[in-house]
Amino acid sequence: MTRLPDDLSIDLHYWMRLTRTMDDQLVTLWKQGRGVGTTFNQRGHEAISVAAGMALAPDDVVAPMHRDLGCYLVRGMTPRRLMANQLGRATGVTRGRDGNLHGCGDLSLNLIGFISHLPQTMPVALGAAMSFSYRSEPRVALTFVGDGSSCAGVFHESLNLAAVQRAPFVVVIENNQYAYSTPLHQQMAIDDLAVRASGHGVESRTVDGNDVEEVYGTVEAAVAKAREGGGPTLIEARTMRMLGHAIHDGAEYVPQALLDEWEARDPLLLHEEKLTSRGLVDREYLARVAEKCREIVADAVEFAESSEWPDPGTVTDGVYAA
């Protein structure tokens, strides 16, 4: 893979650090009883969500899921809005109608809100991609799915339609080894999820989901191909979900040896080592970035906790079907 520009590699680090800092703060808030609803941990997924989001052009559309906080951030959703949403406040993206990242979309930012049941966002994002083709717009749609959802019928139906239509569509499988509590070997009889694309005539790639530069380069190439009329691409990004499915899940079912193996390949720390070894940054710089991110997140928490709760009388506002 061609080495990325130095300034881009440094930017990738900033967004990964901000994602990690915000995510760690969310875990702390819930453990302190200050959260509402639930929160889904991102640890292990930062490289995938940040790199994929940054590889898109501003006019492209992306449909993140519940472990893609980094993508929301790089696409322009502010920490204040996201924190307020997580804490169920009226200033949040869904105006207090949700306590996590479900439904957390903003079409002015070309962000499609996440549909809880995976991979139901996939045909929605494909619809956006097909609309770009119909209007001859040089735009691309990208969405994320999990390893477990690659077994679902709608996953294959969407890939098939994308291939037939040669849609400008990129799908990233975040293979984090577990679908809730079900390990990969109990979900399917294959090890390489990318092969699922071949039956539909879709090009595929497998990448190290803990290498932010590899993810970026692969997604960027797939997006460029789609924009030029080359059709869809399926990318399998391999990583590990380092905590449970959500804050309530202690993940006792995950072998400690597996967690230890992946902890040694922490995507944020690996990228920091890469940057320092190249002489692009030093430890003092990394410390300054970490402090800046802590300040941004602290401000977001203060904003959220000082925001109004939603007015119960508005509960049906924005509801178009029941």
Side-chain angles (χ1 to χ4, degrees):
M1 185 188 74
T2 304
R3 176 167 160 171
L4 302 183
D6 292 345
D7 58 345
L8 175 56
S9 292
I10 293 172
D11 284 347
L12 288 166
H13 166 260
Y14 167 76
W15 290 109
M16 289 175 69
R17 173 55 72 184
L18 181 60
T19 302
R20 174 70 59 85
T21 305
M22 188 167 180
D23 194 42
D24 286 347
Q25 182 62 68
L26 288 168
V27 171
T28 299
L29 289 171
W30 260 258
K31 287 183 176 180
Q32 293 173 342
R34 294 159 67 188
V36 299
T38 192
T39 188
F40 297 91
N41 190 258
Q42 320 287 311
R43 187 175 284 266
H45 289 248
E46 297 94 344
I48 302 171
S49 63
V50 166
M54 289 187 69
L56 295 167
D59 284 342
D60 293 334
V61 165
V62 61
M65 59 178 183
H66 56 307
R67 264 178 256 283
D68 295 321
L69 175 62
C71 187
Y72 288 100
L73 289 168
V74 302
R75 297 293 293 178
M77 200 165 276
T78 67
R80 282 186 167 195
R81 289 184 73 198
L82 285 163
M83 187 64 73
N85 206 74
Q86 291 271 5
L87 298 185
R89 299 311 206 270
T91 51
V93 185
T94 62
R95 303 183 303 283
R97 284 151 180 77
D98 190 43
N100 50 58
L101 295 183
H102 289 169
C104 194
D106 185 337
L107 294 182
S108 72
L109 299 173
N110 290 319
L111 280 164
I112 296 175
F114 172 56
I115 301 171
S116 177
H117 293 81
L118 295 171
Q120 298 301 328
T121 308
M122 195 171 168
V124 178
L126 172 58
M130 291 171 61
S131 76
F132 301 154
S133 294
Y134 296 158
R135 297 194 296 262
S136 299
E137 296 177 352
R139 302 169 69 189
V140 176
L142 180 147
T143 193
F144 304 84
V145 299
D147 44 275
S149 61
S150 71
C151 299
V154 70
F155 171 88
H156 295 277
E157 293 162 3
S158 298
L159 271 190
N160 181 71
L161 182 58
V164 170
Q165 296 291 323
R166 293 189 63 79
F169 189 44
V170 178
V171 180
V172 179
I173 300 178
E174 298 187 45
N175 179 0
N176 64 11
Q177 316 303 312
Y178 281 83
Y180 205 123
S181 57
T182 306
L184 205 63
H185 70 273
Q186 292 182 9
Q187 300 178 50
M188 58 197 75
I190 57 174
D191 296 321
D192 182 2
L193 275 62
V195 302
R196 294 191 182 281
S198 61
H200 302 290
V202 173
E203 184 179 342
S204 66
R205 296 283 185 273
T206 298
V207 297
D208 179 357
N210 285 24
D211 185 330
V212 69
E213 293 182 323
E214 182 179 346
V215 177
Y216 180 92
T218 304
V219 174
E220 182 187 43
V223 168
K225 185 196 79 168
R227 200 183 312 282
E228 294 165 3
T233 302
L234 177 70
I235 299 170
E236 177 194 0
R238 295 181 177 177
T239 187
M240 178 68 196
R241 190 192 73 202
M242 297 305 295
L243 294 178
H245 172 71
I247 194 66
H248 64 275
D249 176 19
E252 294 84 0
Y253 46 82
V254 180
Q256 186 59 48
L258 183 60
L259 292 172
D260 292 343
E261 175 187 343
W262 283 93
E263 185 66 36
R265 301 189 57 253
D266 181 294
L268 177 57
L269 299 184
L270 283 178
H271 193 52
E272 289 184 343
E273 288 298 324
K274 189 179 293 185
L275 293 177
T276 55
S277 67
R278 292 175 183 169
L280 299 181
V281 303
D282 55 22
R283 292 295 168 184
E284 182 180 347
Y285 169 85
L286 296 177
R288 289 199 305 271
V289 171
E291 179 58 28
K292 178 182 178 180
C293 290
R294 283 191 292 269
E295 292 172 356
I296 291 171
V297 172
D299 171 76
V301 173
E302 182 180 357
F303 170 81
E305 292 193 320
S306 63
S307 294
E308 295 288 336
W309 292 98
D311 177 2
T314 66
V315 69
T316 59
D317 291 0
V319 177
Y320 303 101

